[in-house]
Amino acid sequence: DVKVTQSSRYLVKRTGEKVFLECVQDMDHENMFWYRQDPGLGLRLIYFSYDVKMKEKGDIPEGYSVSREKKERFSLILESASTNQTSMYLCASTLTANTGELFFGEGSRLTVL
Amino acid sequence: KNQVEQSPQSLIILEGKNCTLQCNYTVSPFSNLRWYKQDTGRGPVSLTIMTFSENTKSNGRYTATLDADTKQSSLHITASQLSDSASYICVVRFYGNNRLAFGKGNQVVVIP
């Protein structure tokens, strides 16, 4: 089975702190994604990556950056956390970009105070 | 305007009863449609994929339908169980650029 592991299930940070969310997949998938999920808004794409060192902006990239130094690892970075970034963050990976099933991690619930 | 609309937003059903969730989309060109189940506090998991030529597909007690002409899909849950309590998310893929459009989910609560 594909396993997508997110490093932290729950985090509490203060406004202005730098936040790292890490995601590791074990199935050699080319494609990895970061989403945030908010009540009433559904899932929204922050960034995605089709290959090592490659990244593309999603629908809501402002305030976020990403890093993909190795194929299995995709990190989401909040340079200076703000309260409006309080959310559930979901990482996903897929083998094929055109038909593939998204495999999600368990999610990281971030609270920014 | 969201390109994937799901209804009802939420529903409560008695254990053992059936229910049907609706997904209407305007995505064009269309590639495929997936239904995901998301348990509380967990990541979504794919239940089924529907392509343009498929009308019906089952996965255990879950049956998905697709009418590509009217751009509608449904997910039918038969003989609901307490473990069916979850959010069901409809995800439509664009043909060509691989973008995804997400519905906001149907929240289902099954009560004994």
Side-chain angles (χ1 to χ4, degrees):
Chain A
D1 282 349
V2 175
K3 191 163 178 65
V4 178
T5 304
Q6 295 185 227
S7 56
S8 305
R9 290 297 306 277
Y10 301 95
L11 301 97
V12 179
K13 298 291 182 180
R14 296 203 176 274
T15 301
E17 282 192 273
K18 192 169 186 175
V19 182
F20 289 90
L21 300 178
E22 292 211 313
C23 174
V24 177
Q25 49 94 3
D26 66 356
M27 282 301 291
D28 204 35
H29 284 175
E30 301 283 344
N31 311 286
M32 297 189 74
F33 307 81
W34 275 105
Y35 294 91
R36 64 177 283 176
Q37 185 175 36
D38 301 287
L41 296 178
L43 281 139
R44 293 180 292 168
L45 180 63
I46 305 171
Y47 267 96
F48 60 99
S49 169
Y50 286 142
D51 202 350
V52 175
K53 301 218 185 263
M54 293 183 66
K55 59 185 179 184
E56 298 281 346
K57 292 180 179 179
D59 299 319
I60 52 164
E62 296 78 18
Y64 303 94
S65 62
V66 290
S67 172
R68 188 140 182 229
E69 296 296 319
K70 294 184 178 182
K71 191 175 186 179
E72 68 271 17
R73 189 179 299 269
F74 192 35
S75 301
L76 180 69
I77 303 151
L78 289 66
E79 292 289 342
S80 179
S82 62
T83 54
N84 63 12
Q85 292 178 310
T86 292
S87 186
M88 168 70 90
Y89 290 88
L90 287 162
C91 174
S93 72
T94 185
L95 180 61
T96 57
N98 56 351
T99 61
E101 173 184 354
L102 286 171
F103 293 89
F104 286 90
E106 296 285 84
S108 298
R109 183 164 292 283
L110 172 67
T111 301
V112 183
L113 302 175
Chain B
K1 189 181 187 306
N2 199 21
Q3 296 186 74
V4 179
E5 298 284 351
Q6 294 187 241
S7 62
Q9 185 176 355
S10 62
L11 74 161
I12 300 172
I13 57 173
L14 288 172
E15 188 179 9
K17 298 295 186 183
N18 304 335
C19 71
T20 300
L21 313 176
Q22 294 290 342
C23 173
N24 296 339
Y25 62 92
T26 59
V27 167
S28 182
F30 171 86
S31 176
N32 61 59
L33 181 152
R34 281 188 187 269
W35 284 94
Y36 286 82
K37 179 188 179 192
Q38 184 176 22
D39 293 321
T40 301
R42 311 293 290 272
V45 175
S46 178
L47 289 174
T48 185
I49 179 173
M50 306 293 289
T51 58
F52 188 87
S53 59
E54 294 174 309
N55 297 121
T56 303
K57 186 177 285 185
S58 292
N59 177 2
R61 294 179 298 100
Y62 300 102
T63 299
T65 67
L66 176 67
D67 185 332
D69 291 331
T70 62
K71 298 187 175 183
Q72 296 179 325
S73 177
S74 67
L75 183 69
H76 186 77
I77 305 175
T78 302
S80 60
Q81 300 178 358
L82 297 179
S83 59
D84 294 329
S85 294
S87 178
Y88 294 84
I89 303 171
C90 177
V91 183
V92 184
R93 185 179 292 275
F94 287 79
Y95 179 82
N97 63 16
N98 297 319
R99 283 177 52 221
L100 295 173
F102 289 82
K104 296 179 181 179
N106 306 99
Q107 185 67 46
V108 174
V109 175
V110 181
I111 59 175

